[in-house]
Amino acid sequence: MNMNYMLALSWLGVAWYWYSPVAVVLIVMSGSVLIHERQVGIVVKRFAKNSLKPGCLVALEGEAGYQADTLAPGLHFGYWPWQYRIFKVRVTVVPQGEIALVLAAGGDAIPAGRILGKVVDYDNFQDARKFLAHGGEKGRQLGILTAGTYRINTALFTVITSGTSPQHGMTPDQLALHRIEPDMVGIVTTLDGQAIEVGEIAGPAIAGHGNFQNAQAFLDGGGRRGLQEQILLSGTWNLNPWFVQVEQAPMVQIPIGYVGVVISFVGGAHLDVSGVEFKHGDLVNTGHKGVWVTPLYPGKHPINTRVMKVELVPTTNIVLNWASRTEAHHYDEKLSSITVRSKDGFAFNLDVAQIIHVGALDAPKVISRVGSMQNLVDHVLQPIVGNYFRNSAQGYTVLDFLSARTQRQVEATEHIRKAIGAYDVQAIDTLIGDINPPAQLMVTQTDRKIAEEQKKMFEAQELAQRQRQQLVRQTAIADIQQQVVSAEQGVNIAELTANAGVKKATGEAEATRLRALGDAEAIRATGNAKAEAYRAGVESLGAQSYTVMQLMQIVGERNVRIVPDVAVSGQNGSTGLVDGLLGVMLRGQSNGHQEPKQN
């Protein structure tokens, strides 16, 4: 039987013998303790047969000092004031949205290489006996208290809440639940565990620790101290600030028109999967060290940027300017006009624009070969394009280069396409911009050009004058065109009239010929008849008589005057002619008519 109860019974016996029942009740009540529902009774034993072992703060076997067991709410007997001292403390309350940290005043020493006491079976620090019996360690604890109410033996454990945090060199924010914002990731650094292996920069991912909320599971699984590969995603987490530190970083965002090539410094062993044909770099599968063969496509990706690097590679056409202007991507920021020297010894500047394209699946190869897009521009494209134009310009004079610019551009496109194709980059086009030849050469060229233009102008003016003359001539011709037409029509009419006259004359001649033939025939017939009649008259009257008869007949038929109307005499001077004329005039007036015309 417990020595305390034996002493209590002996005292009760003495009191019963010597005192009344009231005294007995008073003695019993003096050894009782009432613990309220929001209190914890901390027991201190004043004296005992055995003393605490060196280094122990709390008694497990009834030694004098603080006791491991506490008094729960209720009425407890046998705790005589001359032997026990009872401290009534309030229960520990951890508010919602917060955690509480625990310091253990007793227990085993924390092993070397560790900074926090391990988690054992202790009912959230409410059973000090279990804590000490199962190897609990003194000092800062891995375990934490989440929101709730706890009956803690404050003789063994000191609980740090947001209200008491300043007393322990902390801030209330450190005891709030750790919140990872949307579109952010938490990069974790652990403060306890084994050292990171040689050659590694971060601890490997460990399963089963609930995103670092179960610190003991993390350590039991071989978790390493320091930067971790694993990250925390958006959410709220119960994290021990003595165990982990969290840095929030934005998710890696791959814009439209880009892919992200991941260069990982952690992960599985480096195993090249690029194949034997790819000899200028190596690629690895996702989760291994090196350049991942599969790129990240547009979107948001939870990547630990402390142990991985994501190189953005544009998958749209990229324009690079060897000129004074710079594109928005700034890859060509260090590029400038190319200075070349011609075959005839002149130095001049050349502006060039190169359009390239990198395929999504070729992007990891490009990054594995050159490291970044900027390196591609600075260490590959700049020397290839610049040296090509410097070399090609030496085969031509400045004027040849100027006059055959299109041909030079075609040649450059073909050469550069082959040259950068070896780097898994597609050359879309090469464009020659401004060509800035020497000023003194351009003065001569300009003068010659001006002279040629003036010559062309004079020739044009001469041609204009000729055309003007031709215009005047044509205008004059147009002005007299009506007369010409009238004349032409008159000629045509005359020709037609002449032709008609010819036709008429021909017709009349033919008619006359025909009439003449007829008349001849008639005359011949008449002559024959007259001859026949003459022969008959001659035969009947004689030739002389028939001739006189015929003569008189003709005179009668034709009214031939045998005696003149006016006789003119030529005697006695020249008045006979005048007299004759006067006689004719008088005869005409007397007859009332003029003298008929003579045939």
Side-chain angles (χ1 to χ4, degrees), residues 213-261:
Q213 297 179 106
N214 189 339
Q216 191 60 52
F218 174 83
L219 297 180
D220 293 342
R224 304 288 176 167
R225 178 187 307 176
L227 183 63
Q228 300 297 306
E229 293 183 24
Q230 185 177 348
I231 58 175
L232 294 176
L233 299 180
S234 176
T236 303
W237 312 99
N238 294 309
L239 300 178
N240 186 339
W242 288 339
F243 173 63
V244 293
Q245 292 179 347
V246 181
E247 171 191 356
Q248 294 198 41
M251 287 187 178
V252 174
Q253 183 172 352
I254 308 299
I256 299 296
Y258 287 80
V259 295
V261 178

Side-chain angles (χ1 to χ4, degrees), residues 215-370:
Q216 191 60 52
F218 174 83
L219 297 180
D220 293 342
R224 304 288 176 167
R225 178 187 307 176
L227 183 63
Q228 300 297 306
E229 293 183 24
Q230 185 177 348
I231 58 175
L232 294 176
L233 299 180
S234 176
T236 303
W237 312 99
N238 294 309
L239 300 178
N240 186 339
W242 288 339
F243 173 63
V244 293
Q245 292 179 347
V246 181
E247 171 191 356
Q248 294 198 41
M251 287 187 178
V252 174
Q253 183 172 352
I254 308 299
I256 299 296
Y258 287 80
V259 295
V261 178
V262 179
I263 305 171
S264 178
F265 307 110
V266 297
H270 187 105
L271 299 175
D272 185 15
V273 296
S274 60
V276 295
E277 296 182 357
F278 187 67
K279 301 179 180 179
H280 303 281
D282 49 12
L283 304 173
V284 299
N285 288 322
T286 301
H288 290 256
K289 292 180 182 178
V291 180
W292 289 1
V293 68
T294 304
L296 302 179
Y297 290 94
K300 294 181 179 180
H301 302 269
I303 298 294
N304 187 341
T305 54
R306 293 284 298 277
V307 298
M308 297 178 186
K309 179 182 178 183
V310 178
E311 188 70 28
L312 289 178
V313 177
T315 55
T316 56
N317 289 350
I318 305 172
V319 180
L320 301 171
N321 296 303
W322 276 260
S324 57
R325 62 183 179 278
T326 301
E327 299 293 331
H329 50 63
H330 294 295
Y331 292 137
D332 55 358
E333 196 169 29
K334 299 178 181 178
L335 302 180
S336 58
S337 298
I338 303 172
T339 301
V340 300
R341 188 171 295 277
S342 64
K343 182 179 180 180
D344 47 0
F346 289 101
F348 61 95
N349 293 330
L350 194 64
D351 288 353
V352 176
Q354 178 65 51
I355 305 175
I356 65 172
H357 173 75
V358 179
L361 298 179
D362 291 329
K365 296 181 181 179
V366 173
I367 298 304
S368 177
R369 185 192 297 265
V370 298

Side-chain angles (χ1 to χ4, degrees), residues 1 12 31 130 165 167 187 222 301 311 337 388 415 458 482 485 562 585:
M1 185 178 294
L12 285 173
K130 283 185 178 181
S165 58
Q167 303 172 18
I187 299 175
H301 302 269
E311 188 70 28
S337 298
Y388 168 76
H415 175 85
F458 295 151
Q482 183 175 1
V485 171
I562 299 174
M585 293 175 60

Side-chain angles (χ1 to χ4, degrees), residues 100-101 158-172 175:
L101 303 178
T158 300
V159 179
I160 304 173
T161 64
S162 60
T164 61
S165 58
Q167 303 172 18
H168 300 274
M170 302 183 69
T171 63
L175 298 177

Side-chain angles (χ1 to χ4, degrees), residues 27 123 125 223 241 291 295 332 388 411 501 504:
I27 293 172
D123 189 20
F125 301 102
V291 180
D332 55 358
Y388 168 76
E411 294 171 355
K504 181 178 180 182

Side-chain angles (χ1 to χ4, degrees), residues 58-74:
V58 178
L60 292 176
E61 299 178 358
E63 299 93 343
Y66 286 102
Q67 302 299 300
D69 300 319
T70 60
L71 299 179

